[in-house]
Amino acid sequence: MNKFKVPMLIFAAVFVVSAAALFFFIKKDIGAKIEDEVSPPAWVHENGSSGKHPVSGKIVKSGEQLNTTVSLPTNSSSLASAEIEKKKTPVEATGKTEEAPTAIIDGNTLKKSISEIREKIVTDIFLDNLAAYIAENYHPAGTTPNNRTKGFSSVTFKGISTHFGMNLNGLMPEAQSINAARKNIWAELLAPGILSKLYDSDSKTLLNLIEEKGIIAERKFVEGETYEVRELSRSQRAEMFRTSASPLRHTSSVLTAISENRDLMQAMDSYFKAEKRVEIANGIFQMDLNQSQKSNSITARNKAAHSGKILKDAITVREKIKIGITDKIKAFCSGHCDGPDDSFYIAKWVYRRTKDNEKRIESILSGCRLLESLATQMEKRAEMIENNL
């Protein structure tokens, strides 16, 4: 028995040291990540700042001129100030009002870009599919499956984004990858001046296509216990245009409120960090929970309980940031802001499109004005249909 005693002691010592080292490195690898603090912006709870842009007492309502100047917190370090000075454009550095050369777009270049976009991205197939989507989402009164007393449009920003984002439906049909296609599409469309030129060339065509879809559309109208398939009447086709204008104005109002208030984008950055923290915390909790179920020891159960508390706290912080952002959008928004409840989805969309290129915010604001214009044109088309013009 004694001849096995020394090897057993050596093995036990090696096992203990190895286990301690393994625990140390695992804790160092994942513990550091989960302990990182992700706190909501101060204005989630009070009239403070996101920590990067001070918030003035004046709230910028949607529709007001975008303030392009960025104020620094009073406690900014000299190093941060030097970095910002280094990144200033020639206009900001000199104080002159002339546009920087990079902001000037040659007319011939813009014309060529529009031509290429019409061939590769916003094709006739896309316009036809978009018109069909808008027409199909008009629901006259008394039709299945809703059977409401008043006609309405179920078009939403999220609905269109999801519908065309999943399979493109005429957008850049030759693209090899969906993700690459989305990136390229928005890089092209949000370039300066592109949306306005596309609106000038395609808006009337889109309205004509929507009207054509309305003429050939059929709906199931409730008749007692059954239904009857009928075409849309003239008044219903006019209503289709009016109800379809409402989602455009809503999207324009929410997009404007988000794009004109940069603090919201800073808060979105905090939200995505909090979301990542929830993912990490959940992964650790699932690992600890699985271990506790296998070992059934008190230590393992306590560890799983602790991980569960960290996960719960991480979720609480994430949801506080989300609620704070949503409430601020409502406070900033003016116009057609009520329903659908998609403001946070739109905020995420803006953040993803502009986080690496803030110049795109100007293009988004231009798009907001175009949405308002298109809504007005839809209402005018409704009047023309009613008057049989």
Side-chain angles (χ1 to χ4, degrees):
M1 184 69 181
N2 289 335
K3 66 179 180 179
F4 294 108
K5 188 173 183 181
V6 173
M8 288 176 65
L9 289 173
I10 294 174
F11 174 79
V14 171
F15 178 80
V16 170
V17 171
S18 300
L22 180 63
F23 174 78
F24 173 77
F25 285 113
I26 289 177
K27 184 177 181 182
K28 183 178 181 182
D29 184 47
I30 61 178
K33 293 181 181 178
I34 197 60
E35 293 302 326
D36 289 344
E37 284 294 325
V38 180
S39 302
W43 54 252
V44 168
H45 307 292
E46 57 190 44
N47 294 324
S49 157
S50 67
K52 296 184 180 180
H53 293 305
V55 179
S56 65
K58 177 179 179 294
I59 292 179
V60 182
K61 291 287 187 179
S62 59
E64 293 185 14
Q65 181 64 33
L66 177 65
N67 182 7
T68 56
T69 59
V70 178
S71 301
L72 292 176
T74 55
N75 61 348
S76 297
S77 65
S78 58
L79 178 60
S81 301
E83 283 297 316
I84 290 173
E85 286 293 331
K86 188 189 300 182
K87 294 178 181 178
K88 279 186 177 181
T89 64
V91 176
E92 293 171 327
T94 61
K96 295 180 180 180
T97 57
E98 292 87 351
E99 290 186 353
T102 54
I104 299 174
I105 301 176
D106 180 76
N108 292 330
T109 302
L110 183 58
K111 186 176 180 181
K112 182 180 178 182
S113 297
I114 292 295
S115 178
E116 292 175 351
I117 288 173
R118 284 291 287 115
E119 291 178 5
K120 296 180 180 180
I121 299 180
V122 185
T123 64
D124 291 335
I125 297 173
F126 167 72
L127 291 175
D128 190 76
N129 286 331
L130 179 58
Y133 181 86
I134 292 172
E136 288 167 5
N137 279 273
Y138 162 64
H139 308 278
T143 57
T144 61
N146 303 286
N147 194 18
R148 296 191 184 182
T149 57
K150 189 177 181 181
F152 71 100
S153 172
S154 57
V155 171
T156 63
F157 180 88
K158 182 177 181 179
I160 287 183
S161 179
T162 302
H163 180 76
F164 289 96
M166 294 299 292
N167 54 23
L168 302 184
N169 284 306
L171 285 169
M172 212 175 192
E174 72 278 10
Q176 298 297 318
S177 163
I178 290 288
N179 289 333
R182 289 197 201 105
K183 185 176 181 179
N184 291 338
I185 286 168
W186 288 114
E188 296 284 355
L189 296 182
L190 294 179
I194 297 297
L195 289 176
S196 297
K197 290 297 181 182
L198 285 173
Y199 178 84
D200 293 341
S201 64
D202 294 337
S203 58
K204 187 174 181 180
T205 300
L206 177 61
L207 293 176
N208 291 338
L209 287 169
I210 295 172
E211 187 169 356
E212 289 177 10
K213 303 298 181 185
I215 291 172
I216 63 175
E218 293 181 336
R219 295 290 187 272
K220 296 178 180 179
F221 289 85
V222 177
E223 297 288 344
E225 297 298 322
T226 183
Y227 62 84
E228 179 184 1
V229 178
R230 296 199 303 266
E231 295 178 347
L232 301 180
S233 66
R234 183 189 300 173
S235 62
Q236 287 166 343
R237 286 188 281 115
E239 184 183 55
M240 177 183 68
F241 275 96
R242 285 201 179 92
T243 57
S244 298
S246 181
L248 297 183
R249 295 195 188 281
H250 167 77
T251 301
S252 175
S253 296
V254 175
L255 273 173
T256 302
I258 294 167
S259 301
E260 286 188 339
N261 293 275
R262 304 296 179 91
D263 248 26
L264 290 172
M265 291 298 95
Q266 298 292 353
M268 285 304 307
D269 184 65
S270 297
Y271 173 81
F272 280 107
K273 288 178 181 177
E275 191 172 57
K276 184 64 177 178
R277 186 172 187 266
V278 169
E279 292 176 6
I280 296 172
N282 183 56
I284 295 173
F285 170 67
Q286 295 299 330
M287 182 176 65
D288 291 344
L289 180 63
N290 182 59
Q291 186 64 31
S292 71
Q293 291 172 343
K294 286 181 178 179
S295 67
N296 199 31
S297 69
I298 295 177
T299 301
R301 287 200 299 269
N302 289 341
K303 188 176 181 182
H306 177 68
S307 299
K309 183 179 183 303
I310 292 176
L311 173 60
K312 183 179 179 181
D313 291 343
I315 293 173
T316 299
V317 171
R318 183 193 65 185
E319 293 307 301
K320 279 184 178 180
I321 298 174
K322 180 179 178 179
I323 292 170
I325 291 172
T326 303
D327 289 345
K328 282 295 177 178
I329 293 172
K330 291 178 181 177
F332 294 150
C333 191
S334 62
H336 295 70
C337 303
D338 296 333
D341 188 17
D342 60 354
S343 59
F344 188 75
Y345 176 88
I346 296 176
K348 289 199 294 184
W349 183 91
V350 174
Y351 175 81
R352 290 191 176 108
R353 301 299 174 278
T354 61
K355 64 178 180 177
D356 297 324
N357 189 348
E358 283 197 359
K359 292 180 180 179
R360 291 179 178 175
I361 290 180
E362 293 292 350
S363 295
I364 291 174
L365 287 170
S366 172
C368 294
R369 293 186 287 271
L370 298 177
L371 287 175
E372 286 285 349
S373 176
L374 185 59
T376 300
Q377 294 304 315
M378 282 187 165
E379 291 165 349
K380 289 180 179 179
R381 184 63 64 98
E383 292 179 7
M384 293 174 66
I385 293 172
E386 284 180 333
N387 296 325
N388 200 23
L389 298 178

